[in-house]
Amino acid sequence: MRTTRTWKTSMATAVCAILAASAAHAANVPDPTSPITLAEASRLTLKGKSTVHDFSSTATRLQLAVEVADTLGSGDSVLARLAAPGAVKSIVLTIPVDGMKSEKEGLDKNMYKALKAATNPNIVFRLRSASAGATPGEFRVGGELEVAGQRQPIEMNVRASEGPEGIVLEGSKALLMSSYGIKPPSMFLGTLKTNDQVVIDFRLVLENNGF
């Protein structure tokens, strides 16, 4: 029974590693030292509502640092090899604020201002913990999210599966901008106001570089 619990914990850690990598879009500049890359089908989008219409903004660039062991153990799949104890050492995901793009340039500019991009140009996620979820293929991911210069703990559920296209991670997370000291953006002399809550949706497809 102890072996089973250890395997589940290490598998959850591996999924967390994959999650951090997955926030990148295929258009991002890849990290040449990382064995994890994203397929073009990967998507991560921030969605919100305003007094006039809904809006969305998609991450187009990021920098990912995933440190894995020099030698990975054997396994029937990439996910199984990453699940081995000690396989994944650390993960830091950095998203440039000016890489978040919507269909409205005016909204982008207001969002950059609200996120204090001039003094805090990056959104940073740092992995802290992971645990197996209540159902097969579900994991509880814990970490630290830094936005607009403020750091807050964050937890989310992630569904993981493996198929012909790669390792697929799916989920969503609601956040309050005010939790990070952000005033929700407004436009047109305040006649258009965005809601405090935003939702991050992701479907991320991971490939590997031959390990």
Side-chain angles (χ1 to χ4, degrees), residues 109-162:
K109 291 181 178 179
N110 279 275
M111 181 176 67
Y112 301 157
K113 181 178 179 180
L115 292 174
K116 306 172 186 177
T119 54
N120 300 281
N122 297 315
I123 297 170
V124 182
F125 172 78
R126 300 173 180 89
L127 180 68
R128 297 301 186 203
S129 64
S131 60
T135 60
E138 183 180 85
F139 299 87
R140 188 68 175 171
V141 176
E144 179 184 77
L145 183 64
E146 180 177 346
V147 182
Q150 293 197 21
R151 298 184 181 187
Q152 297 290 343
I154 183 173
E155 291 187 346
M156 68 187 82
N157 292 325
V158 179
R159 299 182 302 277
S161 61
E162 193 167 8

Side-chain angles (χ1 to χ4, degrees), residues 14-176:
V15 170
C16 289
I18 296 167
L19 172 66
S22 64
H25 186 273
N28 300 327
V29 177
D31 179 352
T33 65
S34 175
I36 301 173
T37 59
L38 294 177
E40 291 185 7
S42 299
R43 294 290 182 270
L44 184 146
T45 303
L46 182 150
K47 298 180 180 180
K49 297 180 180 293
S50 74
T51 51
V52 177
H53 53 66
D54 297 349
F55 65 89
S56 64
S57 180
T58 300
T60 62
R61 295 187 291 113
L62 61 71
Q63 296 136 18
L64 175 68
V66 179
E67 184 181 3
V68 299
D70 294 335
T71 303
L72 295 178
S74 60
D76 295 334
S77 66
V78 174
L79 186 57
R81 290 192 289 276
L82 285 173
V88 178
K89 295 182 178 180
S90 67
I91 302 152
V92 178
L93 175 69
T94 304
I95 306 173
V97 173
D98 62 5
M100 299 295 297
K101 301 294 183 181
S102 72
E103 296 181 351
K104 299 183 181 295
E105 184 178 354
L107 180 60
D108 290 344
K109 291 181 178 179
N110 279 275
M111 181 176 67
Y112 301 157
K113 181 178 179 180
L115 292 174
K116 306 172 186 177
T119 54
N120 300 281
N122 297 315
I123 297 170
V124 182
F125 172 78
R126 300 173 180 89
L127 180 68
R128 297 301 186 203
S129 64
S131 60
T135 60
E138 183 180 85
F139 299 87
R140 188 68 175 171
V141 176
E144 179 184 77
L145 183 64
E146 180 177 346
V147 182
Q150 293 197 21
R151 298 184 181 187
Q152 297 290 343
I154 183 173
E155 291 187 346
M156 68 187 82
N157 292 325
V158 179
R159 299 182 302 277
S161 61
E162 193 167 8
E165 60 181 337
I167 298 171
V168 179
L169 303 175
E170 298 178 276
S172 64
K173 176 64 179 179
L175 299 171
L176 295 178

